[in-house]
Amino acid sequence: MTLEDRRRDDGPETDAYKYEALRRQLQADIARMRPDEALPTERQLAGRYNVSRATARRALQALREDGLIRSVRGVGTFVAQPRITKTSKLTSFSEDLRSRGYHPSAELLAAELVEADLHHATALGVDPGTPLHRIERLRLGDGFPICVETVHLSAERFPDLDESLLEGSLSEALQNTHGVRVVRATQHIRAVNVTGRQARLLGVKEGSAALLVRRTAFDDKGHVVEYGESLCRGDLYEFSLVVTRA
């Protein structure tokens, strides 16, 4: 610790008070800033708020752990994109984004007819070889990539799918055009690392952490509507679930 640091921090109690005050001040500042906007450096924060660089560093680390900021080595510290929190409530991707203030959209990567293999036939409750729609989309929030989504659904049940309907919520499109409403879904989630193409689509480094979400959606008659797999950015997406003891 330098002489300047000793003058700024007079002891453990003062240091703890200054750390907490700085952390709260930075939280308030970040709330008024735009994603990817740069924060002051440790040295600048120390001078501006009359704290040591160690205290400034500790406050920034706490904000990183909370997902409010991100640091790029040799470049600086920036406001992070807001995380999308998925709860146990059944909502679409578009609804999740709107609840966080994002404008949801989708970039269509592929829309094709395929024959159901054993895996997708089992998931959808159809015979192998049944024609399926395979729809791959990059899901975006305010034009920013958040997840790569691949959905399979029966082409016999949904023979006509206009590609113009695939720019937003597929669930909403199916309800509006076919009267099919999703009321229940099962989800399986696991941590993965993204590969080359996935990383390029999501705008992250190869090997970055992600969440792979496998979802089977059902209508009010208990019939499977769709089976989907979503690869979500680990730095932007999180799940918050309430569990109880039986």
Side-chain angles (χ1 to χ4, degrees):
M1 179 179 287
T2 66
L3 178 60
E4 180 183 11
D5 288 342
R6 292 192 183 96
R7 288 172 177 169
R8 285 188 173 131
D9 293 332
D10 299 324
E13 292 184 1
T14 301
D15 183 43
Y17 171 80
K18 288 188 174 184
Y19 156 73
E20 184 61 25
L22 178 58
R23 187 182 66 83
R24 290 177 180 272
Q25 179 61 55
L26 292 177
Q27 282 181 325
D29 292 343
I30 290 168
R32 295 189 293 268
M33 298 170 70
R34 300 183 305 276
D36 295 326
E37 188 172 345
L39 272 73
T41 65
E42 288 179 7
R43 184 180 296 278
Q44 290 170 333
L45 289 173
R48 182 179 302 177
Y49 295 105
N50 193 32
V51 299
S52 70
R53 290 188 63 180
T55 297
R57 186 179 306 115
R58 183 182 170 199
L60 290 173
Q61 179 60 33
L63 297 175
R64 271 191 294 270
E65 292 173 356
D66 290 339
L68 297 178
I69 62 174
R70 61 182 181 86
S71 295
V72 179
R73 185 181 297 274
V75 179
T77 301
F78 306 89
V79 177
Q81 293 282 341
R83 286 186 178 178
I84 298 93
T85 301
K86 183 71 176 177
T87 68
S88 56
K89 182 180 178 181
L90 180 59
T91 53
S92 68
F93 178 87
S94 295
E95 289 172 326
D96 293 337
L97 261 66
R98 293 189 193 109
S99 70
R100 296 291 294 170
Y102 285 101
H103 171 69
S105 61
E107 178 184 330
L108 184 62
L109 302 175
E112 57 186 347
L113 281 175
V114 299
E115 292 186 356
D117 58 18
L118 182 60
H119 171 68
H120 292 101
T122 302
L124 290 166
V126 299
D127 294 327
T130 298
L132 304 178
H133 292 292
R134 177 187 176 275
I135 302 163
E136 184 183 28
R137 301 186 297 171
L138 180 64
R139 303 307 304 271
L140 308 152
D142 292 343
F144 196 84
I146 295 175
C147 78
V148 179
E149 172 190 82
T150 305
V151 175
H152 287 79
L153 60 162
S154 170
E156 294 177 349
R157 185 177 185 186
F158 306 105
D160 300 313
L161 277 182
D162 191 327
E163 288 190 6
S164 65
L165 301 175
L166 304 179
E167 298 176 356
S169 170
L170 181 58
S171 298
E172 293 173 6
L174 293 178
Q175 183 171 348
N176 294 335
T177 59
H178 292 80
V180 174
R181 181 169 174 264
V182 172
V183 300
R184 181 172 64 89
T186 61
Q187 292 191 142
H188 299 273
I189 308 160
R190 68 183 179 94
V192 297
N193 297 104
V194 296
T195 59
R197 177 177 180 268
Q198 298 164 341
R200 289 192 297 273
L201 288 171
L202 292 173
V204 297
K205 292 182 179 179
E206 187 167 359
S208 295
L211 295 173
L212 177 62
V213 184
R214 293 189 171 100
R215 166 173 145 148
T216 306
F218 302 83
D219 63 17
D220 53 3
K221 296 181 176 61
H223 299 144
V224 177
V225 176
E226 64 179 63
Y227 170 77
E229 295 186 356
S230 298
L231 186 69
C232 305
R233 285 181 51 154
D235 60 337
L236 296 180
Y237 222 86
E238 65 183 11
F239 283 76
S240 176
L241 306 176
V242 176
V243 296
T244 59
R245 187 181 296 277

